Amino acid sequence: MSGLAKSPARRDPPFLVAGLIAVAVAYLALVVFLPLVIVFVEALRKGVGDYLAGIGDAEALSAIKLTLLVAAIAVPLNTIFGLAAAWCVTKFDFKGKNLLVTLIDLPFSISPVISGLIYVLLYGANGWFGPWLQEHNIQIIFSVTGIVLATTLVTLPFVARELIPLMQAQGSDEEAAATTLGANGLRTFFLITLPNVKWALMYGVLLSTARAMGEFGAVSVVSGKIRGLTATMPLQVEILYNEYNFVAAFAVASLLALFALVTLAVKTLLEARFSDELAAQRWR
Amino acid sequence: MSLEITGITKSYGRFPALDDVSLLAEDGEFLALLGPSGSGKTTLLRVIAGLEIADGGAIHFSGEDLLATPVRQRRIGFVFQHYALFKHMTVTQNIAFGMKSKHRRERPSKAAISAKVEELLSLVQLDGLGGRYPSQLSGGQRQRVALARALAIEPKILLLDEPFGALDAKVRRGLRRWLRELHERTGLTTIFVTHDQEEALELADRVALLKDGKVEQIGTPEELYHDPASAFVFDFLGDSFQFPCEVKDGKALIAGQEVPILGSSPHVDGPATAYVRPDGFVVGAPDGPGFQARIRDVLLAGTDARLDCVLDDDGSIEVRVPHAIAEKLAPRNRISLAPREVRVWG
Amino acid sequence: MSPAKRSWRFVEPSALPGFGPALGLTMAYLSFFLLVPLAALVLRPWEHGADHVFAVVSAERTLDALRLSFGAAFFAACVNAVFGTIVAWVLVRYDFPGKRILDAFVDLPFALPTAVAGIALVTIYAPNGPIGSIIEPMGLKVAYTPLGVMVALVFVGFPFVVRAIQPVLEEVQIDVEEAAATLGANRFRTISQVIFPAVLPSLLMGFSLALARAVGEYGSVTFIAGNQQNVSEIAPLLIIIHLEEFDYAGAAAIGLAMLLISIVMLFGLNLIQAKVAGRGER
């Protein structure tokens, strides 16, 4: 990238360079850094003791557990889905393929609140299946099940989105070669396809985990926000904030922010080291 | 042990890729599938391997119905145009993959597999490179790994898709000779696809020339070159010039001159088109028999000398003549060009 | 030429296995998680009649909420289009210390949970917050106003424009710029007439993505908005309010309206983008 700037044709006047860099840095500082810094400042406002108390609180701990549980269900589900969807979209030609790809992307453009709403319309007390569920004593909305459903929908495209362009570009020559060499479908998939997409798969899993743990809108519609039971970390942040328990709210928020920072770091690392295996370019 | 292909058809949507193709490859034969892009040659190769599924027709190998056999049980070695090596595996792992994919009961022991890998590595002259990854090899080396990998399953037939397509000219020539020798050693029925007529004519025992999903002609390189079945075959196997002519009593009348007709294809009297190769002209003095022309340029580099000529009748041609003749000529000279012999199609 | 034997087939035959199970799983999964629930969104608004749908959607409160959601999202996307372009330009073209960290942090709004962003933003812009305490005496109120909604949406949409433009800026051929320079164009002319047109289609794409994301955003907005009826109440919040009143049909009606407006809007933006992109190719 530094080579780009070398051509005299690309040299901008120094005052312009300095000005633009200043504008960009200031904008990033205002829009991105300041909110991040505030989270930690507020969390530690009353000292480390209060901070640790906020995190160690029983409700906070159960929120952390619930959040991890939900992610641990939603992300593997979407990973299996992403692999299956990418397999049929990229290795086969069939009618309606473009429509299928559009559908897979659709959850990205639906408001999270609507993503929660549609499950309430189905399984809520007044939902289509509400009466039947009540009869059989099954609770979906205002329970962990509902949170898992909403979180799964919100994070549904991530893995598939990372895999499809890459597998498209890779084509299916290697799979065809494995088949002519006598490998069966499972052997081909696990020994050839999966190793070829492993970094993109990890990338997708990373992004969907981050989103699953941080999802707020969809989850807040279906959860009922029962403290200690159906409150995920982001919901716990809201509950505490609305009770003016700011230090505790920011303490829980700081954990989420830390996780976001780790996500960014891993993401940056993956992009730097495996850019060709993430984007659709290869040495061939 | 021959491969018998009968009436294979295959279409992509409306586009017919293979249209009733029938072929016979004898045991141990080295057969080339030659044709321009879109002629269906790669599709045919992939159908034989089972990588494409034909709409109709049959393929038998020594009596066995190949199309009814699943791809992975066909034991057909396939070398992909871009090799399709498994990038995350070493050369050794690539070559061993097929043997390790066998059902437990048939799978050779670990020792047997590594012995076989070593044997194949030395066969393709890559001894000592077994630990490398494909990205650490040159194009020609990758090509040979792909070949070793295909041979490892002890295939009944070997199929090569544009085996030299991705290599530069010099490597290509070396590999060509090497592949021919390898074929002589293994004696495996081998079919390869190419769009390069020179490659097909030089390497193959027989050549099948495809056009628009049909076999235009099949025969030895000599048969194709010396007795082309159609204008397309003649044109595809080398440069040619075309002139309108009049066929009469087994001779072609071109530019007021009677020229003998070559080839065994029958021709009826009447107007037709004559085909001549660039070296098929006799250069004569101005106003001699044949076409009247003016030399634009004399090119003396190369095995043959070339004369770039403008015809009085319109158009320009570049003919090939012995150096001895060309050396006496200069630009702006006027000459006559008489076709020695022609081929004629309607 | 023999006619194709089967003129229509669902899937091209292939040597690779697993199409049936893979597509089956994909469709079952999509149906369960997306299609059936979306069907409920499309069908349920009408259960109390079309009049009810119309009444809900045309209520002053709903209209205000929709106007706020779409309006604030549009202005936020515009702000990001301008500053996102500058940030992308700086990141691609200039070298300076800390650039890589800056580049990594562009994605923070993707990674930071919206609720966290929400409480952080309201703390910053509240009357006693680090920025609020400076600008409120100057008469600029952000927290608990529509302006606050916009600030939150700027945060949420920021990465889209930058990430859309960056790869294109990197690809602009150096020789094109050199050619412009040898033809006597000054930098301003080169940038405005050579580089900007090349970047415009992806700028529009980034704008659309930021807009789509912002329209439906809830978590980061709800804290700073103050949620004052008819003033700073966004459409997703209104859906939740209807749900809490057990008015499923009403909630679904607003959801459906949002979805339809988004689709029309994005379709229009796509058309413009295709037109702009097509101009460059010819």
Side-chain angles (χ1 to χ4, degrees), chain A residues 174 177 179 181-184 187 191-192 195-196 282-284, chain B residues 51 72 80 82 85-88 97-98 100-101 142 149 153:
Chain A
E174 287 187 38
T179 310
L181 293 171
N184 63 23
R187 192 173 154 82
L191 289 183
I192 306 302
N196 271 337
R282 297 188 313 154
W283 47 258
R284 184 175 86 194
Chain B
L51 298 173
R72 51 192 205 87
F80 291 76
H82 297 287
L85 294 179
F86 308 133
K87 306 185 283 305
H88 58 288
F97 184 87
K100 287 187 178 163
S101 294
R142 284 181 205 165
R149 185 178 69 176
I153 59 167

PDB file of all heavy atoms in Angstrom, chain A residues 174 177 179 181-184 187 191-192 195-196 282-284, chain B residues 51 72 80 82 85-88 97-98 100-101 142 149 153:
ATOM      1  N   GLU A 174     -11.075 -29.829  -7.007  1.00  0.00           N
ATOM      2  CA  GLU A 174     -10.417 -30.678  -6.009  1.00  0.00           C
ATOM      3  C   GLU A 174     -11.364 -31.764  -5.522  1.00  0.00           C
ATOM      4  O   GLU A 174     -10.956 -32.910  -5.316  1.00  0.00           O
ATOM      5  CB  GLU A 174      -9.892 -29.841  -4.839  1.00  0.00           C
ATOM      6  CG  GLU A 174      -8.664 -29.041  -5.237  1.00  0.00           C
ATOM      7  CD  GLU A 174      -8.025 -28.324  -4.056  1.00  0.00           C
ATOM      8  OE1 GLU A 174      -7.987 -28.906  -2.965  1.00  0.00           O
ATOM      9  OE2 GLU A 174      -7.574 -27.192  -4.245  1.00  0.00           O
ATOM     10  N   ALA A 177     -11.528 -34.306  -8.218  1.00  0.00           N
ATOM     11  CA  ALA A 177     -10.311 -35.115  -8.215  1.00  0.00           C
ATOM     12  C   ALA A 177     -10.384 -36.181  -7.127  1.00  0.00           C
ATOM     13  O   ALA A 177     -10.090 -37.357  -7.370  1.00  0.00           O
ATOM     14  CB  ALA A 177      -9.087 -34.228  -7.998  1.00  0.00           C
ATOM     15  N   THR A 179     -12.979 -37.488  -5.862  1.00  0.00           N
ATOM     16  CA  THR A 179     -13.961 -38.503  -6.241  1.00  0.00           C
ATOM     17  C   THR A 179     -13.382 -39.489  -7.246  1.00  0.00           C
ATOM     18  O   THR A 179     -13.554 -40.701  -7.112  1.00  0.00           O
ATOM     19  CB  THR A 179     -15.223 -37.827  -6.805  1.00  0.00           C
ATOM     20  OG1 THR A 179     -15.629 -36.809  -5.902  1.00  0.00           O
ATOM     21  CG2 THR A 179     -16.341 -38.821  -6.963  1.00  0.00           C
ATOM     22  N   LEU A 181     -10.444 -40.318  -7.464  1.00  0.00           N
ATOM     23  CA  LEU A 181      -9.450 -41.133  -6.768  1.00  0.00           C
ATOM     24  C   LEU A 181     -10.104 -42.127  -5.821  1.00  0.00           C
ATOM     25  O   LEU A 181      -9.419 -42.860  -5.108  1.00  0.00           O
ATOM     26  CB  LEU A 181      -8.485 -40.235  -5.994  1.00  0.00           C
ATOM     27  CG  LEU A 181      -7.595 -39.360  -6.875  1.00  0.00           C
ATOM     28  CD1 LEU A 181      -6.825 -38.358  -6.037  1.00  0.00           C
ATOM     29  CD2 LEU A 181      -6.636 -40.214  -7.678  1.00  0.00           C
ATOM     30  N   GLY A 182     -11.440 -42.129  -5.778  1.00  0.00           N
ATOM     31  CA  GLY A 182     -12.134 -43.167  -5.026  1.00  0.00           C
ATOM     32  C   GLY A 182     -12.643 -42.739  -3.664  1.00  0.00           C
ATOM     33  O   GLY A 182     -13.127 -43.568  -2.906  1.00  0.00           O
ATOM     34  N   ALA A 183     -12.541 -41.429  -3.331  1.00  0.00           N
ATOM     35  CA  ALA A 183     -13.007 -40.998  -2.012  1.00  0.00           C
ATOM     36  C   ALA A 183     -14.522 -40.869  -2.013  1.00  0.00           C
ATOM     37  O   ALA A 183     -15.102 -40.402  -2.997  1.00  0.00           O
ATOM     38  CB  ALA A 183     -12.365 -39.665  -1.646  1.00  0.00           C
ATOM     39  N   ASN A 184     -15.178 -41.251  -0.908  1.00  0.00           N
ATOM     40  CA  ASN A 184     -16.623 -41.072  -0.844  1.00  0.00           C
ATOM     41  C   ASN A 184     -16.952 -39.650  -0.408  1.00  0.00           C
ATOM     42  O   ASN A 184     -16.059 -38.854  -0.143  1.00  0.00           O
ATOM     43  CB  ASN A 184     -17.258 -42.130   0.071  1.00  0.00           C
ATOM     44  CG  ASN A 184     -16.771 -41.995   1.513  1.00  0.00           C
ATOM     45  OD1 ASN A 184     -16.333 -40.928   1.930  1.00  0.00           O
ATOM     46  ND2 ASN A 184     -16.847 -43.081   2.254  1.00  0.00           N
ATOM     47  N   ARG A 187     -15.587 -38.402   3.064  1.00  0.00           N
ATOM     48  CA  ARG A 187     -14.132 -38.257   3.029  1.00  0.00           C
ATOM     49  C   ARG A 187     -13.744 -37.015   2.225  1.00  0.00           C
ATOM     50  O   ARG A 187     -12.877 -36.236   2.631  1.00  0.00           O
ATOM     51  CB  ARG A 187     -13.522 -39.519   2.406  1.00  0.00           C
ATOM     52  CG  ARG A 187     -12.025 -39.615   2.580  1.00  0.00           C
ATOM     53  CD  ARG A 187     -11.503 -40.981   2.097  1.00  0.00           C
ATOM     54  NE  ARG A 187     -10.108 -40.864   1.693  1.00  0.00           N
ATOM     55  CZ  ARG A 187      -9.087 -40.897   2.549  1.00  0.00           C
ATOM     56  NH1 ARG A 187      -9.301 -41.071   3.827  1.00  0.00           N
ATOM     57  NH2 ARG A 187      -7.853 -40.754   2.104  1.00  0.00           N
ATOM     58  N   LEU A 191     -11.874 -34.126   4.219  1.00  0.00           N
ATOM     59  CA  LEU A 191     -10.440 -34.047   3.949  1.00  0.00           C
ATOM     60  C   LEU A 191     -10.084 -33.005   2.897  1.00  0.00           C
ATOM     61  O   LEU A 191      -8.952 -32.550   2.826  1.00  0.00           O
ATOM     62  CB  LEU A 191      -9.907 -35.421   3.514  1.00  0.00           C
ATOM     63  CG  LEU A 191      -9.841 -36.473   4.616  1.00  0.00           C
ATOM     64  CD1 LEU A 191      -9.248 -37.757   4.101  1.00  0.00           C
ATOM     65  CD2 LEU A 191      -9.020 -35.961   5.788  1.00  0.00           C
ATOM     66  N   ILE A 192     -11.033 -32.676   2.039  1.00  0.00           N
ATOM     67  CA  ILE A 192     -10.711 -31.734   0.962  1.00  0.00           C
ATOM     68  C   ILE A 192     -11.427 -30.396   1.162  1.00  0.00           C
ATOM     69  O   ILE A 192     -10.800 -29.347   1.275  1.00  0.00           O
ATOM     70  CB  ILE A 192     -11.104 -32.318  -0.417  1.00  0.00           C
ATOM     71  CG1 ILE A 192     -10.473 -33.695  -0.616  1.00  0.00           C
ATOM     72  CG2 ILE A 192     -10.692 -31.357  -1.535  1.00  0.00           C
ATOM     73  CD1 ILE A 192      -8.976 -33.737  -0.528  1.00  0.00           C
ATOM     74  N   PRO A 195     -10.778 -28.469   4.931  1.00  0.00           N
ATOM     75  CA  PRO A 195      -9.460 -27.824   5.102  1.00  0.00           C
ATOM     76  C   PRO A 195      -9.289 -26.611   4.184  1.00  0.00           C
ATOM     77  O   PRO A 195      -8.614 -25.657   4.546  1.00  0.00           O
ATOM     78  CB  PRO A 195      -8.463 -28.918   4.715  1.00  0.00           C
ATOM     79  CG  PRO A 195      -9.206 -30.189   4.891  1.00  0.00           C
ATOM     80  CD  PRO A 195     -10.637 -29.893   4.606  1.00  0.00           C
ATOM     81  N   ASN A 196      -9.926 -26.644   3.016  1.00  0.00           N
ATOM     82  CA  ASN A 196      -9.789 -25.528   2.093  1.00  0.00           C
ATOM     83  C   ASN A 196     -10.514 -24.273   2.548  1.00  0.00           C
ATOM     84  O   ASN A 196     -10.227 -23.187   2.061  1.00  0.00           O
ATOM     85  CB  ASN A 196     -10.315 -25.924   0.703  1.00  0.00           C
ATOM     86  CG  ASN A 196      -9.240 -26.546  -0.147  1.00  0.00           C
ATOM     87  OD1 ASN A 196      -8.055 -26.318   0.091  1.00  0.00           O
ATOM     88  ND2 ASN A 196      -9.623 -27.322  -1.124  1.00  0.00           N
ATOM     89  N   ARG A 282      -6.505 -17.083  -5.142  1.00  0.00           N
ATOM     90  CA  ARG A 282      -5.621 -18.176  -4.778  1.00  0.00           C
ATOM     91  C   ARG A 282      -4.388 -18.156  -5.649  1.00  0.00           C
ATOM     92  O   ARG A 282      -4.298 -17.443  -6.628  1.00  0.00           O
ATOM     93  CB  ARG A 282      -6.346 -19.496  -4.918  1.00  0.00           C
ATOM     94  CG  ARG A 282      -7.516 -19.553  -3.964  1.00  0.00           C
ATOM     95  CD  ARG A 282      -8.116 -20.900  -3.940  1.00  0.00           C
ATOM     96  NE  ARG A 282      -8.311 -21.403  -5.276  1.00  0.00           N
ATOM     97  CZ  ARG A 282      -8.346 -22.708  -5.535  1.00  0.00           C
ATOM     98  NH1 ARG A 282      -8.136 -23.572  -4.590  1.00  0.00           N
ATOM     99  NH2 ARG A 282      -8.562 -23.119  -6.750  1.00  0.00           N
ATOM    100  N   TRP A 283      -3.413 -18.993  -5.254  1.00  0.00           N
ATOM    101  CA  TRP A 283      -2.151 -18.924  -5.960  1.00  0.00           C
ATOM    102  C   TRP A 283      -2.238 -19.444  -7.376  1.00  0.00           C
ATOM    103  O   TRP A 283      -1.358 -19.204  -8.181  1.00  0.00           O
ATOM    104  CB  TRP A 283      -1.035 -19.636  -5.202  1.00  0.00           C
ATOM    105  CG  TRP A 283      -1.340 -21.002  -4.672  1.00  0.00           C
ATOM    106  CD1 TRP A 283      -1.643 -21.309  -3.374  1.00  0.00           C
ATOM    107  CD2 TRP A 283      -1.354 -22.246  -5.366  1.00  0.00           C
ATOM    108  NE1 TRP A 283      -1.841 -22.640  -3.230  1.00  0.00           N
ATOM    109  CE2 TRP A 283      -1.673 -23.242  -4.421  1.00  0.00           C
ATOM    110  CE3 TRP A 283      -1.129 -22.616  -6.696  1.00  0.00           C
ATOM    111  CZ2 TRP A 283      -1.767 -24.586  -4.765  1.00  0.00           C
ATOM    112  CZ3 TRP A 283      -1.234 -23.955  -7.030  1.00  0.00           C
ATOM    113  CH2 TRP A 283      -1.557 -24.921  -6.072  1.00  0.00           C
ATOM    114  N   ARG A 284      -3.268 -20.144  -7.681  1.00  0.00           N
ATOM    115  CA  ARG A 284      -3.374 -20.677  -9.041  1.00  0.00           C
ATOM    116  C   ARG A 284      -3.536 -19.545 -10.010  1.00  0.00           C
ATOM    117  O   ARG A 284      -3.103 -19.512 -11.102  1.00  0.00           O
ATOM    118  CB  ARG A 284      -4.571 -21.607  -9.112  1.00  0.00           C
ATOM    119  CG  ARG A 284      -4.711 -22.287 -10.451  1.00  0.00           C
ATOM    120  CD  ARG A 284      -5.840 -23.271 -10.418  1.00  0.00           C
ATOM    121  NE  ARG A 284      -7.084 -22.623 -10.714  1.00  0.00           N
ATOM    122  CZ  ARG A 284      -8.260 -23.166 -10.501  1.00  0.00           C
ATOM    123  NH1 ARG A 284      -8.337 -24.332  -9.933  1.00  0.00           N
ATOM    124  NH2 ARG A 284      -9.366 -22.544 -10.812  1.00  0.00           N
TER     125      ARG A 284
ATOM    126  N   LEU B  51     -17.518 -37.269 -14.365  1.00  0.00           N
ATOM    127  CA  LEU B  51     -17.639 -35.956 -13.729  1.00  0.00           C
ATOM    128  C   LEU B  51     -18.778 -35.157 -14.334  1.00  0.00           C
ATOM    129  O   LEU B  51     -19.254 -34.191 -13.752  1.00  0.00           O
ATOM    130  CB  LEU B  51     -16.324 -35.185 -13.845  1.00  0.00           C
ATOM    131  CG  LEU B  51     -15.148 -35.858 -13.148  1.00  0.00           C
ATOM    132  CD1 LEU B  51     -13.858 -35.129 -13.446  1.00  0.00           C
ATOM    133  CD2 LEU B  51     -15.391 -35.911 -11.651  1.00  0.00           C
ATOM    134  N   ARG B  72     -16.420 -43.005  -8.232  1.00  0.00           N
ATOM    135  CA  ARG B  72     -15.300 -43.374  -7.388  1.00  0.00           C
ATOM    136  C   ARG B  72     -14.920 -44.843  -7.482  1.00  0.00           C
ATOM    137  O   ARG B  72     -13.906 -45.272  -6.947  1.00  0.00           O
ATOM    138  CB  ARG B  72     -15.564 -42.968  -5.940  1.00  0.00           C
ATOM    139  CG  ARG B  72     -16.881 -43.423  -5.400  1.00  0.00           C
ATOM    140  CD  ARG B  72     -17.133 -42.701  -4.086  1.00  0.00           C
ATOM    141  NE  ARG B  72     -18.028 -43.485  -3.257  1.00  0.00           N
ATOM    142  CZ  ARG B  72     -17.619 -44.435  -2.439  1.00  0.00           C
ATOM    143  NH1 ARG B  72     -16.338 -44.701  -2.326  1.00  0.00           N
ATOM    144  NH2 ARG B  72     -18.488 -45.119  -1.733  1.00  0.00           N
ATOM    145  N   PHE B  80      -6.409 -33.067 -14.117  1.00  0.00           N
ATOM    146  CA  PHE B  80      -7.152 -31.850 -14.414  1.00  0.00           C
ATOM    147  C   PHE B  80      -6.255 -30.808 -15.070  1.00  0.00           C
ATOM    148  O   PHE B  80      -5.043 -30.796 -14.863  1.00  0.00           O
ATOM    149  CB  PHE B  80      -7.750 -31.277 -13.133  1.00  0.00           C
ATOM    150  CG  PHE B  80      -8.851 -32.113 -12.574  1.00  0.00           C
ATOM    151  CD1 PHE B  80      -8.569 -33.288 -11.889  1.00  0.00           C
ATOM    152  CD2 PHE B  80     -10.171 -31.756 -12.756  1.00  0.00           C
ATOM    153  CE1 PHE B  80      -9.584 -34.071 -11.382  1.00  0.00           C
ATOM    154  CE2 PHE B  80     -11.194 -32.544 -12.252  1.00  0.00           C
ATOM    155  CZ  PHE B  80     -10.904 -33.703 -11.571  1.00  0.00           C
ATOM    156  N   HIS B  82      -5.910 -27.691 -14.474  1.00  0.00           N
ATOM    157  CA  HIS B  82      -5.141 -26.918 -13.486  1.00  0.00           C
ATOM    158  C   HIS B  82      -4.688 -27.811 -12.340  1.00  0.00           C
ATOM    159  O   HIS B  82      -4.480 -27.350 -11.231  1.00  0.00           O
ATOM    160  CB  HIS B  82      -5.958 -25.735 -12.979  1.00  0.00           C
ATOM    161  CG  HIS B  82      -6.292 -24.762 -14.074  1.00  0.00           C
ATOM    162  ND1 HIS B  82      -5.368 -23.928 -14.624  1.00  0.00           N
ATOM    163  CD2 HIS B  82      -7.441 -24.541 -14.746  1.00  0.00           C
ATOM    164  CE1 HIS B  82      -5.935 -23.215 -15.573  1.00  0.00           C
ATOM    165  NE2 HIS B  82      -7.193 -23.571 -15.671  1.00  0.00           N
ATOM    166  N   LEU B  85      -4.565 -30.118  -7.478  1.00  0.00           N
ATOM    167  CA  LEU B  85      -3.831 -30.734  -6.372  1.00  0.00           C
ATOM    168  C   LEU B  85      -4.438 -30.256  -5.060  1.00  0.00           C
ATOM    169  O   LEU B  85      -4.953 -29.145  -4.987  1.00  0.00           O
ATOM    170  CB  LEU B  85      -2.347 -30.346  -6.423  1.00  0.00           C
ATOM    171  CG  LEU B  85      -1.576 -30.889  -7.617  1.00  0.00           C
ATOM    172  CD1 LEU B  85      -0.138 -30.412  -7.566  1.00  0.00           C
ATOM    173  CD2 LEU B  85      -1.629 -32.403  -7.659  1.00  0.00           C
ATOM    174  N   PHE B  86      -4.377 -31.109  -4.031  1.00  0.00           N
ATOM    175  CA  PHE B  86      -4.871 -30.706  -2.730  1.00  0.00           C
ATOM    176  C   PHE B  86      -3.802 -29.829  -2.083  1.00  0.00           C
ATOM    177  O   PHE B  86      -2.752 -30.304  -1.671  1.00  0.00           O
ATOM    178  CB  PHE B  86      -5.178 -31.934  -1.873  1.00  0.00           C
ATOM    179  CG  PHE B  86      -6.068 -32.924  -2.576  1.00  0.00           C
ATOM    180  CD1 PHE B  86      -5.780 -34.277  -2.581  1.00  0.00           C
ATOM    181  CD2 PHE B  86      -7.197 -32.496  -3.263  1.00  0.00           C
ATOM    182  CE1 PHE B  86      -6.598 -35.184  -3.239  1.00  0.00           C
ATOM    183  CE2 PHE B  86      -8.024 -33.395  -3.925  1.00  0.00           C
ATOM    184  CZ  PHE B  86      -7.719 -34.744  -3.914  1.00  0.00           C
ATOM    185  N   LYS B  87      -4.099 -28.522  -2.001  1.00  0.00           N
ATOM    186  CA  LYS B  87      -3.077 -27.549  -1.599  1.00  0.00           C
ATOM    187  C   LYS B  87      -2.576 -27.753  -0.185  1.00  0.00           C
ATOM    188  O   LYS B  87      -1.458 -27.427   0.131  1.00  0.00           O
ATOM    189  CB  LYS B  87      -3.649 -26.122  -1.638  1.00  0.00           C
ATOM    190  CG  LYS B  87      -4.254 -25.724  -2.914  1.00  0.00           C
ATOM    191  CD  LYS B  87      -4.653 -24.276  -2.855  1.00  0.00           C
ATOM    192  CE  LYS B  87      -5.937 -24.076  -2.068  1.00  0.00           C
ATOM    193  NZ  LYS B  87      -7.054 -24.888  -2.578  1.00  0.00           N
ATOM    194  N   HIS B  88      -3.474 -28.270   0.674  1.00  0.00           N
ATOM    195  CA  HIS B  88      -3.104 -28.386   2.085  1.00  0.00           C
ATOM    196  C   HIS B  88      -2.412 -29.713   2.373  1.00  0.00           C
ATOM    197  O   HIS B  88      -2.164 -30.034   3.513  1.00  0.00           O
ATOM    198  CB  HIS B  88      -4.352 -28.228   2.939  1.00  0.00           C
ATOM    199  CG  HIS B  88      -5.418 -29.240   2.608  1.00  0.00           C
ATOM    200  ND1 HIS B  88      -6.140 -29.170   1.442  1.00  0.00           N
ATOM    201  CD2 HIS B  88      -5.841 -30.331   3.256  1.00  0.00           C
ATOM    202  CE1 HIS B  88      -6.980 -30.179   1.405  1.00  0.00           C
ATOM    203  NE2 HIS B  88      -6.817 -30.912   2.487  1.00  0.00           N
ATOM    204  N   PHE B  97      -3.423 -40.272  -1.490  1.00  0.00           N
ATOM    205  CA  PHE B  97      -4.841 -40.056  -1.180  1.00  0.00           C
ATOM    206  C   PHE B  97      -5.754 -41.160  -1.721  1.00  0.00           C
ATOM    207  O   PHE B  97      -6.615 -41.685  -1.023  1.00  0.00           O
ATOM    208  CB  PHE B  97      -5.295 -38.695  -1.707  1.00  0.00           C
ATOM    209  CG  PHE B  97      -6.708 -38.353  -1.340  1.00  0.00           C
ATOM    210  CD1 PHE B  97      -6.999 -37.737  -0.134  1.00  0.00           C
ATOM    211  CD2 PHE B  97      -7.766 -38.656  -2.196  1.00  0.00           C
ATOM    212  CE1 PHE B  97      -8.301 -37.433   0.213  1.00  0.00           C
ATOM    213  CE2 PHE B  97      -9.082 -38.352  -1.844  1.00  0.00           C
ATOM    214  CZ  PHE B  97      -9.340 -37.739  -0.639  1.00  0.00           C
ATOM    215  N   GLY B  98      -5.548 -41.519  -2.976  1.00  0.00           N
ATOM    216  CA  GLY B  98      -6.419 -42.520  -3.603  1.00  0.00           C
ATOM    217  C   GLY B  98      -6.306 -43.875  -2.930  1.00  0.00           C
ATOM    218  O   GLY B  98      -7.311 -44.546  -2.672  1.00  0.00           O
ATOM    219  N   LYS B 100      -5.398 -44.439   0.106  1.00  0.00           N
ATOM    220  CA  LYS B 100      -5.962 -44.372   1.453  1.00  0.00           C
ATOM    221  C   LYS B 100      -7.481 -44.279   1.427  1.00  0.00           C
ATOM    222  O   LYS B 100      -8.124 -44.466   2.452  1.00  0.00           O
ATOM    223  CB  LYS B 100      -5.388 -43.167   2.197  1.00  0.00           C
ATOM    224  CG  LYS B 100      -3.939 -43.369   2.608  1.00  0.00           C
ATOM    225  CD  LYS B 100      -3.477 -42.234   3.486  1.00  0.00           C
ATOM    226  CE  LYS B 100      -2.045 -42.446   3.932  1.00  0.00           C
ATOM    227  NZ  LYS B 100      -1.457 -41.194   4.435  1.00  0.00           N
ATOM    228  N   SER B 101      -8.038 -43.919   0.259  1.00  0.00           N
ATOM    229  CA  SER B 101      -9.490 -43.797   0.167  1.00  0.00           C
ATOM    230  C   SER B 101     -10.162 -45.141  -0.030  1.00  0.00           C
ATOM    231  O   SER B 101     -11.383 -45.238  -0.026  1.00  0.00           O
ATOM    232  CB  SER B 101      -9.875 -42.881  -1.003  1.00  0.00           C
ATOM    233  OG  SER B 101      -9.437 -41.575  -0.746  1.00  0.00           O
ATOM    234  N   ARG B 142       4.073 -29.669 -10.702  1.00  0.00           N
ATOM    235  CA  ARG B 142       2.698 -29.900 -10.243  1.00  0.00           C
ATOM    236  C   ARG B 142       1.985 -30.858 -11.177  1.00  0.00           C
ATOM    237  O   ARG B 142       1.279 -31.764 -10.756  1.00  0.00           O
ATOM    238  CB  ARG B 142       1.921 -28.579 -10.222  1.00  0.00           C
ATOM    239  CG  ARG B 142       2.282 -27.710  -9.076  1.00  0.00           C
ATOM    240  CD  ARG B 142       1.456 -26.437  -9.121  1.00  0.00           C
ATOM    241  NE  ARG B 142       2.166 -25.382  -8.428  1.00  0.00           N
ATOM    242  CZ  ARG B 142       1.862 -24.101  -8.540  1.00  0.00           C
ATOM    243  NH1 ARG B 142       0.872 -23.725  -9.320  1.00  0.00           N
ATOM    244  NH2 ARG B 142       2.546 -23.200  -7.880  1.00  0.00           N
ATOM    245  N   ARG B 149      -0.447 -38.915  -8.945  1.00  0.00           N
ATOM    246  CA  ARG B 149      -1.608 -39.132  -8.097  1.00  0.00           C
ATOM    247  C   ARG B 149      -2.666 -39.958  -8.830  1.00  0.00           C
ATOM    248  O   ARG B 149      -3.292 -40.849  -8.254  1.00  0.00           O
ATOM    249  CB  ARG B 149      -2.200 -37.775  -7.684  1.00  0.00           C
ATOM    250  CG  ARG B 149      -3.345 -37.885  -6.716  1.00  0.00           C
ATOM    251  CD  ARG B 149      -3.868 -36.531  -6.299  1.00  0.00           C
ATOM    252  NE  ARG B 149      -4.538 -35.837  -7.407  1.00  0.00           N
ATOM    253  CZ  ARG B 149      -5.147 -34.667  -7.278  1.00  0.00           C
ATOM    254  NH1 ARG B 149      -5.139 -34.049  -6.121  1.00  0.00           N
ATOM    255  NH2 ARG B 149      -5.734 -34.083  -8.310  1.00  0.00           N
ATOM    256  N   ILE B 153      -3.856 -44.969  -8.297  1.00  0.00           N
ATOM    257  CA  ILE B 153      -5.014 -45.846  -8.101  1.00  0.00           C
ATOM    258  C   ILE B 153      -5.006 -46.984  -9.119  1.00  0.00           C
ATOM    259  O   ILE B 153      -5.977 -47.709  -9.248  1.00  0.00           O
ATOM    260  CB  ILE B 153      -6.344 -45.068  -8.191  1.00  0.00           C
ATOM    261  CG1 ILE B 153      -6.490 -44.381  -9.550  1.00  0.00           C
ATOM    262  CG2 ILE B 153      -6.437 -44.031  -7.082  1.00  0.00           C
ATOM    263  CD1 ILE B 153      -7.908 -43.884  -9.803  1.00  0.00           C
TER     264      ILE B 153
END
